[in-house]
Amino acid sequence: MEGSTESLRQILCTAPPNWQPPPGPPNPITVLHASLEHLRNTGDEQYLFLRTILEVLALNGYLGGNANSSPTHLTCEMEQLLFHCATGLRHVVLFRWDSYQPSLRACIRDFVLAVGLGLTCNASDSVRLPRTVSMACLSCASSFWKRGWTEDGDSDSRVTNEQQSYLESLIGNVQPDLQRFVSNQDETQQLFAFVNTLLARPFEQQPSIDLQSRQYTGSMTASFLSLLIGEFSGGNSSARYNLPIEFHRLCHHLFESGSDDLSVSVNCNKSGLDSTLHASMAALSSLVGYVLGNASSGAVQFDECFLEMGSNIIDVTCDVLSWEFGASAGKWDFASGSSRRGCYSVLLRPPQRWRDTLINPEFLGAMFSCHKSVRVGRDGDQPRILVEKRGRMAHVLRQLLLQLSSVASGPVFSDENERAAYSGFLLDGCLNALESILNDEHQHGQLVEGSVVADLLSAEIVDLVTILSRLTSNFKIKVMSTLPSFSRYLNALCHMGKWLLETSFAECQRVEGDIEMMEGVYWKNDALSHVLQCSDANADDYWLVSGTGGEEAIQASRALASMLAPLYGPYCMCRVRMSSLEEHFITKEGGDLDEIREEISAFGMEEEMNSGASLGRLDVLSSIKTLSEMFQQCMPRLTALFDEAGMGGDMTPEIAALLEEARMLILCAGHLLTDDCSGETPDVPESIINASKPGMPNSDTCLASIASLVDLLRSMAEKQATLMARFPGDPRLSPLLAKTILWFFRRFGPAYILPSSDEYRENKGGILAAYSTPGTAQPLVDFCTSLCLMYFCHLPQEKEVHDETTALLKAMAKKPFVRQLLMGCSSFDKIVALSSATSCLRHNASASEVATSMKTVSDDLTLDVVTGYQRLPYSDRARILTCIIIACSDMQNDKSNIMLTGCLKAVEMSFSNLCQALREKKAHSSNINVQESACLSIFLYGGIVLASEMSEPERIPLFITPSLPHLSGLMTFYAEDLTICEGLLKLFRDYAEQYIDMLTREQCIELFTASASMLKLYSEHHCKNRDISKPSEALEDFEEEKNYSDVMSAIQLLIHLGTKDFTNLCNTQTRSSQGIKTGQITDVIFFGLQQIIPLMTQGLLQFPTLCQHYFTLVGFMVETYPEKLCALPFELFNSLVESLLFGMAHSDQMVSKSSLQGISSLAKEHLKTHALGTHLTTNPDIFDVCTRRLIREVIFQPIIWDRLEPAGSALLPLAAINVQGFINIVNNFSRQLSEAKQGRLISAFEQLIKPDVLSHVVTEGREGRVRRVEFKSDFEMFVRETQSFLVVS
């Protein structure tokens, strides 16, 4: 043993053979780690790791337990050395398990366990091993216990080694009293009996001389149990065993259930999980009893050792409760266990056998009492380390209670009454703690943020409201409302929410809006979010809103309205004022949030506002009154600010704060009165309807309050827009405020204006009647269109404003009943006239061109209005045109037809004049004005194409089809201009996507002909010799992917042209036309594919969206027209195959599925027709490479499970093409395995690849289908079998 440490140091200071140091100056740390890794990987044949541990511990007095020798403190170097020796020993023994004698393995296991528990040195010594070393030893022991868990305790080994025998005797000599677990008995029962003894000792009535030693041992014992659970559950900290998944599955199952139901000889008969639970609960009961017993006599001693032990005991109980039952079933991923601390599940379903342990009211009450005794109060005048450890123990106690709050259902409850009682005990305990905190805060004031006690209090509040949130989400209001403490629960939520908001606002005032300097802002926001989640879960509970809860639900709703809804007022007040203060500070300091932080902040605020809206809807009338009062306070100041528009001056902090206050109030009103109905039919929230329904209390007052609030917002919007028309650059007229007002009416208008007849009949009257007739709805529609018009003409460069204006206009236009009202709006008439007048006006159009265009359309237009509209970006003009077409699509309305025809003719005429000028060479394509006109026309046609939500959308293809050849013809002039090319590709893509299912045969032929011509010109100029750079780390993927949006548009267009409906229509023959054969279409598609394939192998596959579309095209075309792909030139075919091989192992499931289907189709086509004979002459290994990589990169990898079926469909034809080659590949794989695994792998393949299945790979009819279904089932069994012993960890 002597000299082991020095030998190890010499090895670690010497670079390993054939090691290449990293660039840069020599670094001894790098050499040390490389040498350590080399020693671990080579197996440590001299047992230096173990010998060094023995030598260092013996020399420093940590072995033998001799009362005459005291351990000494280890140096930092020695601590690091012992740590690496312990982890190295674990690695070496686990990876070379069978080369160690069973007796030595058991001896090492028991020795490192004793070292980690602190049992190897004198119990009266206060000097302990460093925690890092102790935990490394315990981790080592837990790994060895798991490794031997599935082995028979009586098994013997043929391994005999004199050096190992010597090491075993050496351990016995240096530690004669080592606790050994006899192998001819149930070792696991011995282990847990030993653990129970160690956990019970700290609470025994013994002389206190060695109490700290017993507490220390108890603490480390609990840590060992946590590590043991982590190993069996497969947490992130678990060791690598160099064993297949089947070992980990078996261990997980045995630890969970024991071996009584398994016909295997293993080293455990009882559930290790149950034994751990019983050990931890017994220790926890002793701990709680000790605390409460001493607290009653006032003699409880909270020293460091006791608190550390208590925290660890509670931790192991939490780890047991978080066990994932049944996780070893199926394709269990042992790396995704949930026993990691801090990641406890929201819902637990423990087994029935745990019922007596967990469902115990006395135990729950004792836990809360223990927490009350342990938590640090305001008068915590103790040493800082002691206060922190008390805080940690209180925290883990709350985490345990949080886990118990997640036990909401399952066999542990005998009936619903017991379940309700269980939730009641937890709720009462949590409320007692919260109310105590609130009383202290009200009596003594808030603690100074940043102090240890304040930090512990903040963690306590967050934990307690999290428990309330967990109880609310798991037990639901149906159960909670039956509890005697339901009123206390609602009051506690309301008061805690108010306290959090008020203290946050006071702190914001103290720092004058500097959010970064606020103390406690993050934990208070976290706690508030849980309070709002509780209110959200209660308010939106189906039992309440569905009306099926009867009188009980009505009473619960009233309780929510009276006790919880009052929180909405303070919430709005504090959030609005805090935002105002923050804006004041940002403007004053001249700073601003970066885009990413601003986006994150906006997203978080949106979520919080939605929860706040649910809270406000508990009492709609009170919430509306609250907002109205806040608006009444804000509006005079805002009106005065607007009146100062045009007087000059810069944005001041006061102006910014006032504008932000108004914006936040509008957001509150919008979330309260409306829902985000993106992609759905806009509806009025049910709670708003019910609150204003005739017959309901105060329904008339509620209705009047809503109408008054909407009128106030209308007057604000009108005043701002009118002034903005005169003073568009004045900072007092905030575009952000304008955007927010538009956002409100974009959500409000479509939902409230002319509600659907069914909805109105069911709830006649109330808010639904407010705008239910043309007479009552017309003023609001007029207002919305006027607002849009003013912003179109006087704020043309504000993109975010026009995102909302076009969204508002489109939302109204999509509603059939509102379209008729739009026809009666003079503002909408002007919008239509402006669109027609500017359809030929470039941004740089001359004054004479503008005047001429105005005269041809309308005499009502003024120069400043037209000029303003003209300055709109072409993309915004296109979006407005889309809205106009949808709004004017009512064929029964003459005015609609006239407007629609006028808009379309204006676009067509402008484009026709451009094409004629280019054809007759009256205008040169390189002229900047001509290029601008071309861009404008493309954008406007794109706007027309996107109007597919109009009624009778078949009219769009009738208009577009004659222009398709001319649009495609622009490519002859602008083939080198990527901007115009991309615009044309997007136009054709959108047209095909929107209308391909409604095109006639002639329209399909025109689309194909125009697309083919355009794609050929595009390919010649932008695919061949295009330089594709690798993705840059400096740019976000999304941003860089935009540089290749033309490629994406081309791919998407090819996908649409390849659909069956399109090709069938084109192929239809008539008397006057032969149609277009499918082959001609596929020729064009494959021509485009040939141009794109070289691009996709040079880096573009790294972009996710582009990659998805490419493989969608390739997968579809290979599956549909495999013969075409087989006929590609070899270089292109080889590139295609390489991209398919890349895609089959891609992380995206759709990409991998398309790739595997492509490989399968190519193989099947060759089986049928030998289509790849020529390519195989050039490269005979094409299919062998595919098979080899498919097996290695997909089938033998964990990723197989989300692509199981397509992988099997690809493997079968590949095996059928060359059976002997397939056998050789399998044999090559098997040679890389151990003898035992070789036989299992070959046997598995023999059972999978059956001759009768191979002979029917491409057989049609029932027999072929039956064989393929049989193979599908066999392949799944094959994967389960091979994965269980091939995937190693």
Side-chain angles (χ1 to χ4, degrees):
M1 184 172 71
E2 293 182 2
S4 302
T5 305
E6 189 59 34
S7 298
L8 180 59
R9 281 175 172 161
Q10 291 179 1
I11 290 176
L12 296 182
C13 292
T14 306
N18 303 321
W19 177 66
Q20 295 294 329
N27 188 343
I29 302 299
T30 306
V31 175
L32 186 147
H33 283 287
S35 301
L36 180 65
E37 190 69 20
H38 180 262
L39 182 60
R40 286 157 53 109
N41 293 337
T42 54
D44 185 21
E45 296 179 356
Q46 300 301 316
Y47 307 98
L48 287 175
F49 288 137
L50 177 59
R51 289 164 53 201
T52 301
I53 292 173
L54 291 170
E55 181 178 351
V56 172
L57 292 179
L59 290 176
N60 288 275
Y62 288 94
L63 295 181
N66 189 349
N68 298 322
S69 62
S70 298
T72 58
H73 289 285
L74 295 177
T75 64
C76 182
E77 180 189 2
M78 282 298 181
E79 179 182 345
Q80 292 181 11
L81 184 65
L82 278 179
F83 173 80
H84 288 301
C85 286
T87 55
L89 177 65
R90 178 176 75 168
H91 179 89
V92 169
V93 174
L94 289 177
F95 273 63
R96 302 180 66 235
W97 185 262
D98 293 332
S99 66
Y100 281 76
Q101 296 174 176
S103 58
L104 178 61
R105 294 193 307 245
C107 185
I108 295 173
R109 177 199 67 193
D110 299 342
F111 171 70
V112 293
L113 176 60
V115 172
L117 295 178
L119 299 176
T120 59
C121 56
N122 191 358
S124 61
D125 290 317
S126 59
V127 178
R128 301 292 179 186
L129 275 175
R131 181 170 176 80
T132 54
V133 176
S134 298
M135 292 302 292
C137 290
L138 293 179
S139 178
C140 186
S142 64
S143 299
F144 294 161
W145 273 105
K146 176 181 176 179
R147 182 61 180 83
W149 206 267
T150 62
E151 296 180 349
D152 184 0
D154 298 328
S155 62
D156 200 358
S157 172
R158 299 179 182 177
V159 177
T160 56
N161 186 304
E162 293 183 2
Q163 193 172 6
Q164 291 188 12
S165 300
Y166 167 73
L167 287 171
E168 185 177 351
S169 64
L170 181 62
I171 294 174
N173 291 334
V174 298
Q175 192 64 38
D177 60 345
L178 178 67
Q179 171 68 39
R180 298 297 305 274
F181 301 99
V182 184
S183 60
N184 58 4
Q185 301 176 16
D186 189 340
E187 290 182 321
T188 60
Q189 291 187 27
Q190 297 177 58
L191 173 66
F192 285 111
F194 179 60
V195 164
N196 280 322
T197 301
L198 295 181
L199 290 175
R201 281 180 183 173
F203 308 104
E204 295 174 351
Q205 298 297 325
Q206 296 182 6
S208 60
I209 185 171
D210 63 341
L211 178 60
Q212 284 195 353
S213 177
R214 286 182 279 133
Q215 289 175 346
Y216 174 82
T217 302
S219 175
M220 300 311 293
T221 303
S223 296
F224 167 70
L225 288 177
S226 288
L227 290 170
L228 191 66
I229 293 174
E231 289 295 325
F232 281 94
S233 66
N236 287 339
S237 61
S238 59
R240 293 190 66 237
Y241 290 76
N242 197 34
L243 288 173
I245 285 181
E246 61 183 352
F247 165 78
H248 299 280
R249 289 176 179 164
L250 179 59
C251 285
H252 187 280
H253 181 82
L254 290 174
F255 192 78
E256 177 183 312
S257 306
S259 62
D260 295 339
D261 58 340
L262 298 176
S263 58
V264 293
S265 179
V266 294
N267 190 20
C268 55
N269 295 319
K270 295 184 179 180
S271 165
L273 187 64
D274 287 359
S275 299
T276 308
L277 176 67
H278 294 151
S280 64
M281 291 299 289
L284 183 60
S285 298
S286 299
L287 174 72
V288 173
Y290 179 84
V291 171
L292 297 182
N294 286 274
S296 62
S297 62
V300 63
Q301 296 294 321
F302 289 125
D303 56 40
E304 293 182 36
C305 286
F306 174 81
L307 293 169
E308 186 71 25
M309 178 190 68
S311 298
N312 290 343
I313 289 173
I314 300 167
D315 265 338
V316 70
T317 310
C318 288
D319 290 337
V320 174
L321 290 179
S322 63
W323 181 269
E324 286 190 7
F325 286 91
S328 60
K331 53 188 186 208
W332 175 62
D333 180 4
F334 61 86
S336 65
S338 68
S339 63
R340 292 162 291 180
R341 213 161 285 151
C343 301
Y344 300 129
S345 301
V346 174
L347 185 63
L348 300 179
R349 294 177 62 86
Q352 187 175 11
R353 63 181 186 267
W354 289 9
R355 166 183 162 76
D356 294 337
T357 304
L358 299 181
I359 311 304
N360 188 335
E362 293 181 359
F363 168 69
L364 295 177
M367 292 288 291
F368 278 107
S369 299
C370 180
H371 174 265
K372 183 178 180 180
S373 299
V374 172
R375 68 180 291 267
V376 179
R378 288 174 166 266
D379 54 348
D381 54 347
Q382 298 174 332
R384 181 185 179 95
I385 184 65
L386 203 59
V387 172
E388 289 177 344
K389 287 188 176 293
R390 285 184 64 179
R392 179 178 181 273
M393 183 172 170
H395 173 69
V396 294
L397 266 171
R398 294 191 298 271
Q399 290 299 302
L400 177 57
L401 291 167
L402 180 62
Q403 286 291 84
L404 294 172
S405 301
S406 303
V407 183
S409 61
V412 292
F413 295 111
S414 59
D415 54 36
E416 282 297 309
N417 292 331
E418 186 177 63
R419 183 168 171 265
Y422 177 81
S423 65
F425 280 110
L426 285 168
L427 183 62
D428 288 341
C430 187
L431 292 176
N432 289 337
L434 267 181
E435 289 168 352
S436 174
I437 293 173
L438 287 172
N439 290 335
D440 285 347
E441 292 299 315
H442 290 149
Q443 291 177 13
H444 306 291
Q446 189 177 359
L447 289 166
V448 178
E449 291 287 351
S451 65
V452 176
V453 176
D455 290 342
L456 294 176
L457 179 64
S458 64
E460 183 175 1
I461 291 174
V462 172
D463 288 342
L464 291 173
V465 294
T466 304
I467 293 174
L468 289 182
S469 177
R470 189 70 58 85
L471 289 171
T472 304
S473 60
N474 287 341
F475 290 93
K476 311 294 184 185
I477 193 173
K478 183 178 181 180
V479 172
M480 303 283 282
S481 62
T482 63
L483 301 177
S485 52
F486 181 59
S487 298
R488 287 179 61 205
Y489 158 72
L490 295 181
N491 280 323
L493 285 178
C494 185
H495 291 142
M496 178 54 68
K498 286 181 179 179
W499 180 80
L500 291 169
L501 289 164
E502 290 167 358
T503 54
S504 295
F505 177 55
E507 178 65 13
C508 189
Q509 284 181 310
R510 184 186 70 81
V511 298
E512 297 180 345
D514 187 357
I515 301 296
E516 297 295 327
M517 296 299 294
M518 287 179 63
E519 297 284 355
V521 63
Y522 296 111
W523 76 260
K524 288 178 181 177
N525 285 339
D526 190 14
L528 181 63
S529 70
H530 285 294
V531 172
L532 292 176
Q533 285 172 16
C534 289
S535 66
D536 200 1
N538 286 325
D540 295 337
D541 191 279
Y542 180 77
W543 182 69
L544 286 184
V545 300
S546 64
T548 59
E551 185 61 28
E552 293 178 351
I554 294 173
Q555 294 299 325
S557 296
R558 290 174 180 170
L560 289 173
S562 61
M563 299 180 192
L564 190 56
L567 177 60
Y568 183 73
Y571 168 76
C572 292
M573 185 274 293
C574 291
R575 281 295 182 243
V576 169
R577 293 184 181 177
M578 285 178 65
S579 293
S580 179
L581 285 171
E582 182 183 7
E583 192 67 24
H584 185 282
F585 173 80
I586 291 174
T587 307
K588 179 181 177 182
E589 297 297 319
D592 203 353
L593 292 173
D594 61 65
E595 291 185 5
I596 295 177
R597 289 186 61 189
E598 198 166 354
E599 185 176 346
I600 294 173
S601 177
F603 180 77
M605 180 59 70
E606 177 73 15
E607 285 193 332
E608 188 181 284
M609 285 279 188
N610 287 329
S611 297
S614 296
L615 177 64
R617 291 174 188 173
L618 294 173
D619 188 347
V620 176
L621 178 58
S622 296
S623 300
I624 292 291
K625 285 183 176 179
T626 297
L627 289 178
S628 296
E629 290 172 2
M630 295 179 72
F631 268 112
Q632 293 299 333
Q633 295 173 12
C634 176
M635 279 304 296
R637 293 178 287 132
L638 189 64
T639 302
L641 177 67
F642 286 167
D643 290 339
E644 295 174 1
M647 296 183 181
D650 297 326
M651 175 68 73
T652 65
E654 291 72 22
I655 292 175
L658 178 57
L659 292 172
E660 178 65 12
E661 180 182 346
R663 187 184 75 88
M664 288 295 295
L665 284 173
I666 296 169
L667 287 176
C668 291
H671 282 93
L672 179 65
L673 295 177
T674 65
D675 288 323
D676 183 13
C677 298
S678 301
E680 304 174 5
T681 302
D683 285 324
V684 181
E686 193 70 25
S687 55
I688 305 296
I689 295 175
N690 292 334
S692 63
K693 189 184 299 182
M696 295 295 291
N698 302 314
S699 59
D700 293 339
T701 307
C702 181
L703 181 60
S705 298
I706 295 174
S708 175
L709 181 60
V710 173
D711 290 342
L712 185 146
L713 290 174
R714 284 177 58 183
S715 64
M716 178 197 298
E718 287 173 346
K719 187 173 185 65
Q720 184 194 25
T722 303
L723 291 170
M724 195 170 283
R726 297 173 55 195
F727 313 109
D730 196 292
R732 300 171 182 83
L733 306 172
S734 165
L736 184 58
L737 182 62
K739 172 194 170 184
T740 309
I741 294 173
L742 288 164
W743 168 87
F744 174 86
F745 285 103
R746 191 249 299 171
R747 290 172 49 137
F748 182 87
Y752 285 78
I753 297 175
L754 300 182
S756 64
S757 55
D758 293 339
E759 186 181 52
Y760 179 71
R761 278 196 296 269
E762 185 178 346
N763 299 283
K764 192 171 183 179
I767 192 64
L768 294 178
Y771 307 98
S772 62
T773 65
T776 55
Q778 187 70 58
L780 189 55
V781 176
D782 289 341
F783 159 76
C784 291
T785 53
S786 299
L787 204 60
C788 292
L789 175 62
M790 281 191 272
Y791 286 130
F792 288 152
C793 298
H794 301 291
L795 216 63
Q797 299 303 312
E798 291 290 343
K799 181 182 181 302
E800 291 189 354
V801 171
H802 293 302
D803 288 343
E804 293 296 339
T805 53
T806 52
L808 169 59
L809 202 57
K810 187 174 182 179
M812 292 194 299
K814 285 164 62 176
K815 205 164 183 178
F817 299 113
V818 180
R819 290 173 186 163
Q820 299 178 10
L821 301 183
L822 287 172
M823 294 302 104
C825 295
S826 58
S827 298
F828 184 75
D829 294 346
K830 282 191 177 182
I831 293 174
V832 174
L834 285 169
S835 178
S836 299
T838 59
S839 60
C840 62
L841 294 180
R842 312 172 308 277
H843 285 150
N844 60 347
S846 64
S848 60
E849 290 176 301
V850 173
T852 303
S853 181
M854 288 171 55
K855 291 179 181 178
T856 58
V857 175
S858 173
D859 295 331
D860 295 335
L861 299 179
T862 60
L863 182 61
D864 62 328
V865 169
V866 176
T867 304
Y869 192 93
Q870 175 200 0
R871 292 176 57 208
L872 281 168
Y874 296 154
S875 58
D876 287 336
R877 285 205 239 170
R879 290 194 292 178
I880 296 169
L881 181 57
T882 301
C883 300
I884 292 172
I885 293 173
I886 296 173
C888 297
S889 60
D890 185 1
M891 295 187 68
Q892 308 303 318
N893 189 299
D894 293 337
K895 185 176 181 179
S896 294
N897 291 328
I898 293 171
M899 286 183 170
L900 177 62
T901 303
C903 286
L904 295 179
K905 281 189 175 181
V907 175
E908 182 183 33
M909 183 64 66
S910 175
F911 179 61
S912 177
N913 292 337
L914 173 65
C915 293
Q916 184 177 356
L918 287 171
R919 282 196 308 270
E920 297 176 359
K921 298 184 179 180
K922 294 180 180 179
H924 199 279
S925 59
S926 61
N927 184 282
I928 187 63
N929 291 335
V930 179
Q931 291 177 359
E932 282 282 302
S933 297
C935 288
L936 173 59
S937 294
I938 292 170
F939 270 108
L940 293 179
Y941 270 95
I944 294 171
V945 162
L946 292 177
S948 58
E949 292 173 287
M950 65 183 294
S951 62
E952 307 294 336
E954 296 84 0
R955 289 176 285 176
I956 298 298
L958 290 174
F959 169 77
I960 291 287
T961 298
S963 301
L964 288 177
H966 306 294
L967 288 166
S968 176
L970 285 179
M971 197 66 88
T972 59
F973 299 101
Y974 296 105
E976 297 181 0
D977 189 324
L978 187 57
T979 302
I980 292 180
C981 288
E982 183 179 336
L984 287 169
L985 287 168
K986 288 182 178 178
L987 169 60
F988 276 73
R989 176 203 66 189
D990 292 340
Y991 178 61
E993 180 180 330
Q994 300 284 335
Y995 302 97
I996 205 163
D997 61 336
M998 62 183 75
L999 297 180
T1000 64
R1001 172 183 173 277
E1002 290 73 18
Q1003 291 168 347
C1004 287
I1005 292 174
E1006 284 292 343
L1007 173 59
F1008 167 73
T1009 305
S1011 299
S1013 173
M1014 180 184 63
L1015 285 169
K1016 287 179 181 178
L1017 288 169
Y1018 165 76
S1019 301
E1020 289 177 6
H1021 289 85
H1022 298 288
C1023 290
K1024 295 179 180 178
N1025 303 319
R1026 183 169 180 175
D1027 183 25
I1028 302 296
S1029 60
K1030 293 182 179 180
S1032 170
E1033 296 181 358
L1035 292 175
E1036 295 288 338
D1037 284 349
F1038 177 75
E1039 292 297 325
E1040 192 168 356
E1041 196 170 20
K1042 290 181 179 178
N1043 296 332
Y1044 305 102
S1045 57
D1046 58 307
V1047 180
M1048 191 183 304
S1049 297
I1051 291 173
Q1052 291 171 311
L1053 177 57
L1054 291 171
I1055 292 172
H1056 296 315
L1057 294 180
T1059 56
K1060 281 291 185 181
D1061 290 341
F1062 183 78
T1063 55
N1064 289 340
L1065 274 173
C1066 289
N1067 197 25
T1068 305
Q1069 297 185 8
T1070 64
R1071 293 181 179 180
S1072 58
S1073 173
Q1074 293 297 317
I1076 295 178
K1077 295 181 178 179
T1078 302
Q1080 293 176 265
I1081 298 175
T1082 56
D1083 285 344
V1084 170
I1085 296 172
F1086 278 103
F1087 170 79
L1089 191 57
Q1090 288 180 50
Q1091 311 306 312
I1092 290 171
I1093 286 174
L1095 300 180
M1096 303 310 293
T1097 59
Q1098 299 179 38
L1100 290 192
L1101 290 177
Q1102 302 300 322
F1103 297 116
T1105 309
L1106 197 56
C1107 180
Q1108 289 175 6
H1109 285 103
Y1110 168 75
F1111 280 106
T1112 298
L1113 173 63
V1114 169
F1116 170 74
M1117 298 311 297
V1118 174
E1119 189 175 7
T1120 310
Y1121 309 108
E1123 71 284 354
K1124 289 281 187 180
L1125 279 180
C1126 292
L1128 286 172
F1130 177 76
E1131 294 297 332
L1132 283 176
F1133 178 80
N1134 193 51
S1135 297
L1136 174 67
V1137 172
E1138 283 297 322
S1139 68
L1140 291 175
L1141 293 175
F1142 167 85
M1144 70 180 181
H1146 199 276
S1147 58
D1148 187 279
Q1149 184 178 353
M1150 188 278 294
V1151 169
S1152 64
K1153 182 177 179 181
S1154 298
S1155 302
L1156 290 165
Q1157 287 175 342
I1159 294 171
S1160 174
S1161 298
L1162 290 176
K1164 289 178 180 177
E1165 182 65 22
H1166 181 72
L1167 281 173
K1168 291 179 183 177
T1169 64
H1170 299 283
L1172 292 174
T1174 305
H1175 293 333
L1176 288 173
T1177 304
T1178 306
N1179 181 10
D1181 295 333
I1182 292 176
F1183 289 116
D1184 288 347
V1185 169
C1186 292
T1187 305
R1188 191 178 302 112
R1189 290 186 60 180
L1190 174 62
I1191 294 174
R1192 182 179 67 246
E1193 299 176 17
V1194 178
I1195 296 176
F1196 286 171
Q1197 299 298 322
I1199 61 173
I1200 180 63
W1201 294 108
D1202 65 0
R1203 59 205 69 187
L1204 185 67
E1205 185 174 345
S1209 299
L1211 180 66
L1212 182 59
L1214 287 173
I1217 288 175
N1218 183 359
V1219 177
Q1220 187 57 48
F1222 183 79
I1223 294 173
N1224 294 336
I1225 291 172
V1226 173
N1227 289 333
N1228 288 335
F1229 275 115
S1230 66
R1231 292 191 193 100
Q1232 303 171 26
L1233 306 175
S1234 63
E1235 292 185 7
K1237 291 182 179 180
Q1238 283 185 22
R1240 292 181 68 178
L1241 180 64
I1242 293 174
S1243 174
F1245 269 112
E1246 288 175 350
Q1247 295 179 31
L1248 175 67
I1249 307 297
K1250 302 172 183 176
D1252 56 338
V1253 174
L1254 292 177
S1255 62
H1256 293 86
V1257 173
V1258 293
T1259 302
E1260 303 294 337
R1262 181 179 181 278
E1263 186 174 4
R1265 290 195 300 272
V1266 169
R1267 296 300 183 189
R1268 287 189 287 275
V1269 170
E1270 178 185 344
F1271 178 81
K1272 177 182 175 181
S1273 176
D1274 291 344
F1275 183 69
E1276 182 174 353
M1277 295 176 61
F1278 165 82
V1279 171
R1280 291 185 184 279
E1281 167 67 13
T1282 55
Q1283 287 264 314
S1284 67
F1285 66 84
L1286 288 180
V1287 177
V1288 173
S1289 175

